[in-house]
Amino acid sequence: MNFPIERTRPGYGSTHSEGILGRHFPNIHGGEAIHFDYVYTGGLFNNARGGVQTRRASSYAGVFDFGMSFDTEKLGLWKNGTFYVHSLFSHGPNVSRFVGDYQGVEVFAYEVPAQVSEYWYEHRFFGNELSVKMGKQDAGADFFYLESTGDFINNSATCVPGTNIPTAPDNVWGVSGLLNLTEKLHARVGIFDAKGNANKFWMSESGDVYSAYQIEYHHDLYGYLPGFVYAGAWYDSSKTDLLTDPGRTGAGNYGYNVGFEQMVYRRHVCDKEDYRGMTIFFQYSGNKRDRNELKNFWGLGMNWLGLFEHRPDDVFGLGMFVARFSNGYRNQEELRFGEERAYEIYYKMQLTDNIAIQPVFQYVVHPSGSYRNSFVPGLVFQLVF
């Protein structure tokens, strides 16, 4: 896709491909055959109003990501193959403990030990018309995800709640494939272990399966405004507690998702390499209500790359994300309100090619359907080594 934000792990937004180590120490950083990525993301947040508590309600959390990709052809092995290994090292508590929100106001505060979070092999067939990926992977990076949401900090922006999709830090073993039906129309299918666990290096051995299906369409409105539309569904074979009948379980859980992102303004339409402008997005999900805490979710918003002429790499964004609780879950938890709404506004300043600072403000209405409205300011920074 031609959006300026590259597809990365959800929640980390766009990064520059060449880091500090790659520029100054190319011999140890790796070349075309082996590529390394080192990214540190940290954030300081405070629950300034409402929620669970406001006294001593500040927290700092961070995560260091280390990725290695291996091109089999450039290594002199075979064509069309890529090996990938990713590790993460997280630290610090999540400010959500003070907010009490359901959706999660701090996407990268994993609160898990160091782990090898991904290791997979991908092979491309028939001139890249079909690609198949096998191994431990982040399903949320390929399914039900919009690139234009990548710089948002609220978890619901980059990982649609209610889908139960295995995603970071609880990545899982699985097999996924992408088929190019036409130049613009593509189909994705994935079959994964349904029991994600950040502490699990191998499969869960539960026998439960999570499957995801997605049809996606890439287009260019008027020939110069890129857009993306998807429709998907998921099925989880696990036994689930029936919220409408306490004490009983039911096998099989499912839901559906739709979403789109569309560039609506482009500063320089004749420059194919310049993607400064405004992009809007929307996502909706629904599921089987007697087995899920949410009956549906929807989110919408926009981002603007290069809002100011003299700051071409900065990104401004605002969004609203609404999680609506199912009646069974609301009655079981005795919730006062039927939904939680989260509003977010941020401005990501790209200070150098490798350093970004991002002030962010979130306002959460009815956290978890029970608490007072919460105001959460924060400051996030990212270093690409």
Side-chain angles (χ1 to χ4, degrees):
M1 188 174 179
N2 293 325
F3 277 94
I5 299 177
E6 299 175 358
R7 182 176 292 277
T8 60
R9 294 196 322 110
Y12 291 86
S14 57
T15 60
H16 292 260
S17 59
E18 184 183 37
I20 298 172
L21 295 178
R23 184 181 304 111
H24 298 290
F25 304 98
N27 292 332
I28 66 171
H29 180 74
E32 295 183 353
I34 303 177
H35 183 77
F36 296 85
D37 289 303
Y38 324 82
V39 181
Y40 180 82
T41 306
L44 177 64
F45 293 86
N46 173 258
N47 183 39
R49 179 186 184 277
V52 177
Q53 70 178 67
T54 55
R55 185 181 179 187
R56 297 179 180 178
S58 297
S59 68
Y60 176 85
V63 61
F64 178 74
D65 290 90
F66 173 49
M68 297 182 293
S69 60
F70 306 83
D71 188 306
T72 57
E73 181 178 3
K74 293 176 181 178
L75 286 172
L77 300 176
W78 59 85
K79 295 182 179 181
N80 302 323
T82 301
F83 285 101
Y84 181 73
V85 179
H86 177 270
S87 298
L88 63 84
F89 309 85
S90 65
H91 62 92
N94 195 320
V95 74
S96 283
R97 66 178 61 190
F98 305 121
V99 180
D101 64 310
Y102 182 90
Q103 298 181 75
V105 295
E106 195 175 357
V107 65
F108 55 82
Y110 289 144
E111 298 185 320
V112 298
Q115 60 161 303
V116 178
S117 59
E118 294 185 68
Y119 54 91
W120 45 259
Y121 173 73
E122 182 177 47
H123 197 85
R124 298 173 294 281
F125 301 89
F126 314 119
N128 294 334
E129 292 301 318
L130 170 67
S131 63
V132 177
K133 184 192 300 184
M134 177 181 294
K136 187 177 183 182
Q137 54 192 284
D138 184 348
D142 295 321
F143 294 88
F144 319 142
Y145 171 60
L146 300 176
E147 294 176 3
S148 57
T149 64
D151 285 314
F152 282 87
I153 304 303
N154 192 284
N155 191 68
S156 288
T158 52
C159 183
V160 177
T163 62
N164 300 331
I165 193 166
T167 189
D170 296 314
N171 297 333
V172 293
W173 247 84
V175 179
S176 60
L178 171 65
L179 176 63
N180 297 325
L181 301 174
T182 69
E183 182 180 354
K184 297 182 177 182
L185 184 64
H186 315 285
R188 293 182 185 270
V189 177
I191 300 176
F192 308 96
D193 184 348
K195 303 297 183 183
N197 188 326
N199 300 316
K200 198 77 174 179
F201 185 79
W202 192 240
M203 299 182 186
S204 68
E205 301 176 359
S206 67
D208 297 320
V209 174
Y210 180 98
S211 55
Y213 314 88
Q214 180 170 302
I215 293 290
E216 55 191 50
Y217 182 72
H218 303 255
H219 64 274
D220 289 289
L221 191 63
Y222 305 123
Y224 61 86
L225 296 175
F228 171 75
V229 181
Y230 81 82
W234 59 273
Y235 178 81
D236 190 336
S237 67
S238 307
K239 287 187 177 181
T240 309
D241 294 332
L242 298 181
L243 297 174
T244 54
D245 193 354
R248 293 188 57 195
T249 60
N253 192 6
Y254 56 86
Y256 63 92
N257 297 64
V258 293
F260 78 88
E261 55 192 350
Q262 177 65 55
M263 197 172 197
V264 294
Y265 168 74
R266 190 166 178 174
R267 186 184 292 272
H268 300 293
V269 298
C270 296
D271 188 345
K272 295 183 178 181
E273 302 300 323
D274 191 341
Y275 285 96
R276 284 181 291 173
M278 184 174 70
T279 298
I280 60 174
F281 65 85
F282 174 80
Q283 290 193 95
Y284 179 88
S285 69
N287 49 41
K288 192 170 178 58
R289 299 182 182 182
D290 64 345
R291 289 165 168 78
N292 295 278
E293 296 173 349
L294 298 183
K295 60 181 177 182
N296 56 48
F297 162 86
W298 60 272
L300 59 84
M302 57 78 70
N303 71 26
W304 193 309
L305 176 66
L307 180 61
F308 303 108
E309 181 69 29
H310 63 289
R311 304 287 306 176
D313 297 321
D314 290 359
V315 183
F316 167 75
L318 57 88
M320 177 174 66
F321 312 101
V322 181
R324 303 183 65 195
F325 303 111
S326 64
N327 292 334
Y329 178 70
R330 184 178 179 181
N331 294 335
Q332 187 180 82
E333 299 296 322
E334 299 180 347
L335 305 183
R336 297 170 56 198
F337 306 100
E339 66 178 30
E340 173 189 288
R341 279 176 284 149
Y343 300 89
E344 178 177 342
I345 182 171
Y346 72 82
Y347 187 82
K348 184 176 182 180
M349 296 176 285
Q350 198 70 44
L351 302 182
T352 70
D353 286 345
N354 308 103
I355 302 175
I357 294 180
Q358 180 173 336
V360 57
F361 301 93
Q362 296 184 63
Y363 188 77
V364 184
V365 179
H366 309 321
S368 292
S370 297
Y371 301 106
R372 293 181 300 127
N373 298 352
S374 175
F375 174 60
V376 188
L379 182 65
V380 178
F381 71 95
Q382 188 174 74
L383 303 176
V384 182
F385 295 95

